[in-house]
């Protein structure tokens, strides 16, 4: 189906054409007519499915059909999202789709000065894209007049729920007109999300696009069994291959991310970090450098990486195995986007075996185990006199026996490979 068949208006079609989209994604084909018809909507779709355009395009079409009444501009659309990165990304998308429309936008998020955000509100805007916390601050200081609001979007509602934003969102909603169109997007439809739809929406239509719970369709996945203290050395070793040219590395903690980045920099690999201890400017810079190729590796935590939309990521490395299977799916969904083939590599220590089995049940398939010689946790430590002289070099592999079991066939010999 061509975009033209959806009735979006010529100026929007021109912008879509400029963006190089040839036809709507499934979530767009399903959601756009419902939104244009004025229904509330629940969209069950993950980042990477084209969901931002699915809610933005029809809202822009509706806004562009409304002629101003001569009074100063007041926000007509509010989009709430859980992280600053996602806010910035939604903004980037809307600016592309609305490039031929005379609409003004404001971004509202914490960690930076309020003043320009307050000024933008005063100057008059049509669309506000915001994180709930800072927006609530501005509402409480009476800097926002949402009396003309017609559209509300809650993006990544499941993550906002997980992050504890719901009480703030409830208070934001008190400042909005009751008569409005409300669209809610979530990666999963849980009981809690259903309860929120009853609270925030009226007879919503549901659009559900096959969950990418099986990212295996485009992403090659494997795990390396590795000793905890050898993870940095294994990562540096894998990065010896030029195939890993744009690598997103996930760690469990912010300090862990900093540590990994420091170690990689020491081996000459250009690396940036993305986590919530970094300032907004540093985070945007890290993303920009990663996108442009100025840094080869971006080390991130789950929350900061939420919604990262970067084309061409060659590999995702789970330096620390994620605690929740959903996070694994989100992480590896960063690669293999737009049908590119990407690799997801996970490091697991003996402690991660339980979560790995849980994950395999969750995604409904087993994941290939690899052993990188010299790093793997089955190998006993070599006798002292056989330690390598170069302290940075990997230890020579020994054994390959599981305790009490027969010798295991090595899957790898010589230099570790990752495919
Ligand atoms: P999203 O799920 O909104 O994060 O979008 C994922 C990526 O798909 C973004 O890079 C969009 O620019 C891109 N995209 C959205 N809609 C289309 C489309 N109809 N055709 C091709 N790419 C698209």
């Amino acid at each position: 189906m061509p975009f033209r068949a959806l009735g979006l208006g010529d100026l929007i079609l021109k912008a879509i054409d400029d963006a190089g989209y040839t036809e709507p994604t499934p979530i767009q084909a399903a959601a756009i007519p419902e939104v244009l018809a004025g229904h509330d909507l629940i969209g069950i779709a993950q980042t990477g499915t084209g969901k931002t355009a699915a809610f933005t395009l029809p809202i822009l079409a509706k806004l562009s059909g409304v002629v101003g009444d001569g009074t100063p501009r007041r926000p007509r659309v509010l989009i709430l999202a859980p992280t600053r990165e996602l806010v910035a990304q939604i903004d980037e998308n809307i600016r592309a789709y609305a490039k031929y429309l005379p609409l003004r936008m404001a971004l509202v998020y914490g960690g930076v000065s309020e003043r320009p955000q307050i000024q933008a509100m005063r100057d008059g805007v049509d669309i506000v894209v915001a994180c709930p916390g800072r927006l609530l601050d501005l509402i409480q200081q009476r800097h926002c007049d949402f009396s003309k609001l017609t559209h509300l979007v809650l993006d990544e509602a499941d993550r906002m729920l997980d992050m504890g934003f719901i009480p703030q969102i409830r208070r934001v909603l008190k400042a909005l007109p009751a008569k409005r169109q409300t669209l809610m997007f979530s990666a999963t439809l849980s009981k809690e999300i259903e309860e929120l739809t009853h609270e925030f929406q009226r007879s919503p239509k549901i659009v559900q696009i096959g969950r990418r719970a099986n990212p295996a369709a485009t992403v090659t996945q494997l795990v390396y069994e590795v000793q905890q203290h050898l993870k940095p050395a294994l990562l540096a070793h894998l990065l010896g291959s030029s195939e890993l040219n744009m690598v997103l590395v996930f760690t469990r903690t912010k300090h862990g991310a900093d540590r990994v980045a420091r170690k990689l920099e020491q081996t000459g690999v250009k690396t940036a970090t993305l986590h919530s201890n970094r300032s907004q400017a540093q985070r945007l810079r890290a993303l920009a450098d990663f996108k442009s190729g100025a840094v080869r590796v971006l080390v991130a935590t789950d929350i900061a990486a939420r919604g990262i939309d970067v084309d061409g990521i060659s590999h995702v490395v789970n330096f620390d195995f994620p605690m929740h299977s959903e996070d694994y799916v989100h992480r590896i969904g960063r690669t293999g986007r737009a049908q590119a083939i990407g690799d997801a590599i996970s490091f697991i220590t003996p402690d991660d075996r339980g979560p790995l089995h849980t994950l395999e049940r969750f995604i409904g398939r087993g994941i290939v185990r690899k052993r990188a010689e010299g790093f793997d946790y089955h190998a006993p430590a070599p006798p002292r006199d056989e330690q390598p002289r170069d302290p940075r070099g990997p230890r020579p592999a020994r054994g390959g026996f599981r305790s009490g079991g027969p010798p295991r066939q090595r899957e790898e010999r010589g230099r570790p490979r990752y495919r």
Side-chain angles (χ1 to χ4, degrees), residues 6 21 33 63 133 136-137 144 149 158 170 220 222 234 241 255 357 382:
L6 294 172
Y21 303 172
L63 290 195
L136 187 60
D137 287 348
C144 308
L149 185 119
D158 50 344
R170 282 202 182 98
T220 322
L222 56 87
L234 176 58
S241 161
H255 296 300
H357 286 135

Side-chain angles (χ1 to χ4, degrees), residues 306-341:
R306 184 78 184 181
I308 286 182
D309 175 21
V310 179
D311 286 336
I313 292 178
S314 66
H315 293 75
V316 167
V317 177
N318 293 312
F319 187 90
D320 294 318
F321 198 71
M323 294 207 244
H324 305 293
S325 299
E326 288 87 350
D327 284 336
Y328 177 90
V329 174
H330 275 295
R331 287 180 179 189
I332 80 162
R334 306 298 104 196
T335 182
R337 303 190 66 147
Q339 309 306 313
I341 300 298

Side-chain angles (χ1 to χ4, degrees), residues 3 16 20-25 28 46-54 89 93 97 307 309 311 337-338:
F3 272 107
I16 292 173
Y21 303 172
T22 48
E23 58 176 41
T25 64
Q28 291 162 5
Q46 296 193 349
T47 302
T49 53
K51 70 180 165 64
T52 315
Q89 210 160 282
N93 275 269
Y97 306 142
D309 175 21
D311 286 336
R337 303 190 66 147

Side-chain angles (χ1 to χ4, degrees), residues 30-346:
I32 290 172
E34 301 291 1
V35 181
L36 286 175
H39 297 297
D40 278 6
L41 186 87
I42 306 171
I44 305 298
Q46 296 193 349
T47 302
T49 53
K51 70 180 165 64
T52 315
F55 62 76
T56 305
L57 296 174
I59 290 179
L60 291 177
K62 296 188 101 180
L63 290 195
S64 59
V66 178
V67 182
D69 59 5
T71 58
R73 285 168 195 251
R74 306 250 187 279
R76 289 182 282 161
V77 180
L78 170 62
I79 300 170
L80 291 176
T83 63
R84 313 175 216 183
E85 281 72 21
L86 192 56
V87 164
Q89 210 160 282
I90 294 170
D91 169 64
E92 202 178 294
N93 275 269
I94 299 181
R95 280 184 203 281
Y97 306 142
K99 65 198 267 201
Y100 299 114
L101 302 175
L103 297 171
R104 283 206 224 146
M105 308 198 31
L107 305 191
V108 174
Y109 47 75
V112 293
S113 162
E114 300 180 341
R115 233 171 283 146
Q117 300 176 357
I118 294 170
Q119 192 56 48
M121 291 291 207
R122 275 204 201 120
D123 293 346
V125 293
D126 301 284
I127 302 174
V128 177
V129 190
C131 289
R134 170 60 65 88
L135 182 68
L136 187 60
D137 287 348
L138 298 195
I139 289 174
Q140 286 169 341
Q141 296 170 45
R142 302 188 182 285
H143 292 301
C144 308
D145 173 357
F146 284 118
S147 57
K148 293 271 172 29
L149 185 119
T150 49
H151 294 84
L152 169 69
V153 180
L154 300 167
D155 196 13
E156 303 213 344
D158 50 344
R159 186 48 63 136
M160 292 204 276
L161 196 109
D162 289 349
M163 291 169 73
F165 283 141
I166 300 304
Q168 290 168 335
I169 293 175
R170 282 202 182 98
R171 282 152 72 194
V172 168
L173 261 60
K174 287 211 173 90
L176 310 183
K179 189 167 175 292
R180 56 165 199 259
Q181 188 175 13
T182 304
L183 316 179
M184 183 145 96
F185 284 80
S186 169
T188 50
L189 185 58
S190 62
K191 205 166 130 274
E192 290 90 342
I193 292 290
E194 267 191 87
E195 279 166 17
L196 288 183
T197 72
H198 290 308
E199 189 178 336
F200 299 155
Q201 299 188 296
R202 284 187 201 164
S203 323
K205 301 275 179 190
I206 296 191
V207 173
Q208 182 155 12
I209 294 309
R211 263 189 356 115
R212 289 211 311 168
N214 191 1
T218 51
V219 180
T220 322
Q221 302 163 71
L222 56 87
V223 300
Y224 274 106
E225 299 175 327
V226 59
Q227 301 182 46
Q228 179 66 32
H229 72 285
L230 292 180
K231 283 180 176 181
L234 176 58
L235 180 58
H237 186 89
L238 295 176
L239 286 165
S241 161
S242 58
E243 271 188 57
L244 281 82
N245 53 38
M246 196 175 186
V247 184
L248 180 58
V249 176
F250 284 96
T251 58
R252 206 165 282 164
T253 64
K254 304 167 203 174
H255 296 300
D258 288 337
R259 263 196 310 273
V260 171
R262 261 197 315 274
K263 293 224 158 125
L264 289 181
E265 285 280 344
Q266 281 164 8
T267 64
V269 177
K270 290 237 170 295
T271 306
T273 56
L274 191 74
H275 57 68
S276 53
N277 274 6
R278 312 217 70 206
S279 71
Q280 178 61 7
Q282 288 171 324
R283 287 157 72 166
L284 291 176
R285 178 72 198 269
L287 265 181
D289 284 350
F290 187 52
K291 280 185 186 174
S292 72
V295 300
R296 182 175 164 206
V297 178
L298 182 66
V299 190
T301 55
D302 285 298
I303 289 182
R306 184 78 184 181
I308 286 182
D309 175 21
V310 179
D311 286 336
I313 292 178
S314 66
H315 293 75
V316 167
V317 177
N318 293 312
F319 187 90
D320 294 318
F321 198 71
M323 294 207 244
H324 305 293
S325 299
E326 288 87 350
D327 284 336
Y328 177 90
V329 174
H330 275 295
R331 287 180 179 189
I332 80 162
R334 306 298 104 196
T335 182
R337 303 190 66 147
Q339 309 306 313
I341 300 298
D343 279 3
I345 297 171
S346 303

